[in-house]
Amino acid sequence: MRDAALRVGPSFLLNVTLNEERQITGVFAGDIIKAHKVGADFVKKSAMQKCDAPFDIVVTTNSGYPLDLNLYQGVKGMSAGARVVKQGGTLILAAECREGVPPNSHLDKLLRSASGPEQI
Protein backbone atom coordinates (compact mmCIF):
# COMPACT_ATOMS: atom_id res chain seq x y z
CA MET A 1 0.00 0.00 0.00
CA ARG A 2 2.84 2.34 0.83
CA ASP A 3 4.51 1.83 -2.54
CA ALA A 4 1.26 2.42 -4.41
CA ALA A 5 0.56 5.60 -2.45
CA LEU A 6 4.06 6.92 -3.14
CA ARG A 7 3.60 6.37 -6.89
CA VAL A 8 0.56 8.64 -7.09
CA GLY A 9 2.30 11.59 -5.48
CA PRO A 10 2.36 13.32 -2.12
CA SER A 11 0.29 11.46 0.46
CA PHE A 12 -1.03 12.26 3.91
CA LEU A 13 -1.19 9.48 6.50
CA LEU A 14 -3.49 9.26 9.50
CA ASN A 15 -3.01 6.18 11.70
CA VAL A 16 -4.07 5.41 15.25
CA THR A 17 -2.91 2.81 17.75
CA LEU A 18 -5.29 1.01 20.09
CA ASN A 19 -5.02 -0.74 23.44
CA GLU A 20 -6.74 -4.00 24.41
CA GLU A 21 -9.99 -2.11 25.10
CA ARG A 22 -9.76 -0.53 21.62
CA GLN A 23 -9.12 2.90 23.10
CA ILE A 24 -6.91 5.19 21.05
CA THR A 25 -3.41 5.34 22.52
CA GLY A 26 -1.72 7.37 19.82
CA VAL A 27 -2.42 9.41 16.68
CA PHE A 28 0.19 9.61 13.93
CA ALA A 29 -0.30 11.93 10.99
CA GLY A 30 1.67 13.61 8.25
CA ASP A 31 4.22 12.36 5.76
CA ILE A 32 3.39 8.76 4.85
CA ILE A 33 6.86 7.40 5.60
CA LYS A 34 7.79 9.50 8.63
CA ALA A 35 4.42 9.25 10.41
CA HIS A 36 4.27 5.49 9.88
CA LYS A 37 7.78 5.06 11.32
CA VAL A 38 6.91 7.13 14.40
CA GLY A 39 3.75 5.03 14.91
CA ALA A 40 5.60 1.75 14.43
CA ASP A 41 8.29 2.81 16.91
CA PHE A 42 5.56 3.74 19.42
CA VAL A 43 3.95 0.29 19.08
CA LYS A 44 7.31 -1.46 19.50
CA LYS A 45 7.88 0.38 22.79
CA SER A 46 4.33 0.34 24.18
CA ALA A 47 2.75 -2.93 23.03
CA MET A 48 5.41 -5.46 22.13
CA GLN A 49 7.33 -7.78 24.43
CA LYS A 50 10.76 -9.17 23.65
CA CYS A 51 10.99 -12.97 23.49
CA ASP A 52 14.22 -14.70 24.45
CA ALA A 53 13.48 -17.66 22.18
CA PRO A 54 10.73 -18.87 19.85
CA PHE A 55 7.91 -21.00 21.27
CA ASP A 56 6.80 -24.55 20.40
CA ILE A 57 3.13 -23.50 20.43
CA VAL A 58 1.70 -20.02 19.87
CA VAL A 59 -1.99 -19.13 20.28
CA THR A 60 -2.84 -15.86 18.56
CA THR A 61 -5.80 -13.73 17.53
CA ASN A 62 -6.60 -10.64 15.51
CA SER A 63 -8.16 -8.96 18.58
CA GLY A 64 -11.72 -10.25 18.20
CA TYR A 65 -14.79 -8.65 16.66
CA PRO A 66 -14.89 -6.92 14.22
CA LEU A 67 -11.25 -7.59 13.37
CA ASP A 68 -11.80 -11.34 13.00
CA LEU A 69 -14.82 -11.29 10.68
CA ASN A 70 -13.10 -13.41 8.05
CA LEU A 71 -9.96 -15.47 7.59
CA TYR A 72 -8.40 -12.79 5.36
CA GLN A 73 -8.39 -10.42 8.36
CA GLY A 74 -7.41 -13.19 10.77
CA VAL A 75 -4.18 -13.71 8.87
CA LYS A 76 -2.90 -10.55 10.56
CA GLY A 77 -2.93 -12.40 13.88
CA MET A 78 -1.21 -15.37 12.25
CA SER A 79 1.48 -13.08 10.86
CA ALA A 80 2.21 -11.71 14.33
CA GLY A 81 2.30 -15.20 15.87
CA ALA A 82 4.58 -16.52 13.13
CA ARG A 83 7.31 -14.18 14.37
CA VAL A 84 7.60 -16.03 17.70
CA VAL A 85 6.84 -19.68 16.86
CA LYS A 86 9.66 -22.18 16.35
CA GLN A 87 10.34 -23.54 12.87
CA GLY A 88 8.05 -26.57 12.67
CA GLY A 89 6.07 -25.37 15.71
CA THR A 90 2.30 -25.07 16.04
CA LEU A 91 0.45 -21.82 15.42
CA ILE A 92 -3.19 -21.67 16.53
CA LEU A 93 -5.43 -18.80 15.38
CA ALA A 94 -8.47 -18.02 17.53
CA ALA A 95 -10.83 -16.12 15.21
CA GLU A 96 -14.58 -16.31 14.69
CA CYS A 97 -14.44 -15.83 10.91
CA ARG A 98 -18.23 -15.52 10.68
CA GLU A 99 -17.83 -14.39 7.06
CA GLY A 100 -15.46 -17.27 6.22
CA VAL A 101 -13.03 -16.42 3.44
CA PRO A 102 -13.87 -13.57 1.04
CA PRO A 103 -15.21 -15.33 -2.10
CA ASN A 104 -12.92 -15.32 -5.14
CA SER A 105 -10.12 -13.63 -3.18
CA HIS A 106 -6.53 -14.76 -3.69
CA LEU A 107 -6.75 -16.53 -0.33
CA ASP A 108 -9.96 -18.32 -1.35
CA LYS A 109 -8.35 -19.51 -4.59
CA LEU A 110 -5.21 -20.66 -2.76
CA LEU A 111 -7.18 -22.61 -0.16
CA ARG A 112 -9.41 -24.26 -2.76
CA SER A 113 -6.49 -25.23 -4.99
CA ALA A 114 -4.45 -26.96 -2.27
CA SER A 115 -4.87 -30.60 -1.32
CA GLY A 116 -4.06 -29.88 2.35
CA PRO A 117 -2.22 -27.66 4.85
CA GLU A 118 1.20 -28.96 3.83
CA GLN A 119 0.69 -27.87 0.23
CA ILE A 120 -0.40 -24.38 1.30
Side-chain angles (χ1 to χ4, degrees):
M1 287 177 45
R2 179 200 68 205
D3 292 343
L6 290 172
R7 286 185 189 150
V8 299
S11 298
F12 179 82
L13 173 88
L14 177 63
N15 275 347
V16 298
T17 54
L18 306 174
N19 64 15
E20 59 274 1
E21 281 112 30
R22 296 196 185 101
Q23 298 166 324
I24 295 174
T25 58
V27 178
F28 308 91
D31 176 81
I32 189 169
I33 302 297
K34 292 176 185 173
H36 182 267
K37 180 172 178 0
V38 172
D41 290 345
F42 174 79
V43 168
K44 284 178 186 173
K45 291 176 188 169
S46 66
M48 295 179 75
Q49 296 291 320
K50 186 173 181 167
C51 296
D52 294 329
F55 299 93
D56 294 318
I57 301 171
V58 173
V59 179
T60 187
T61 180
N62 197 32
S63 300
Y65 180 84
L67 304 173
D68 67 348
L69 283 174
N70 58 54
L71 187 56
Y72 180 81
Q73 296 298 325
V75 168
K76 295 173 188 174
M78 290 169 50
S79 176
R83 293 174 177 243
V84 296
V85 70
K86 283 183 182 176
Q87 181 74 23
T90 300
L91 181 64
I92 300 168
L93 172 67
E96 182 181 11
C97 298
R98 71 172 67 174
E99 294 177 355
V101 176
N104 299 314
S105 66
H106 293 296
L107 180 58
D108 182 44
K109 292 174 185 172
L110 171 67
L111 293 173
R112 292 182 188 283
S113 69
S115 62
E118 292 80 17
Q119 188 179 18
I120 293 171

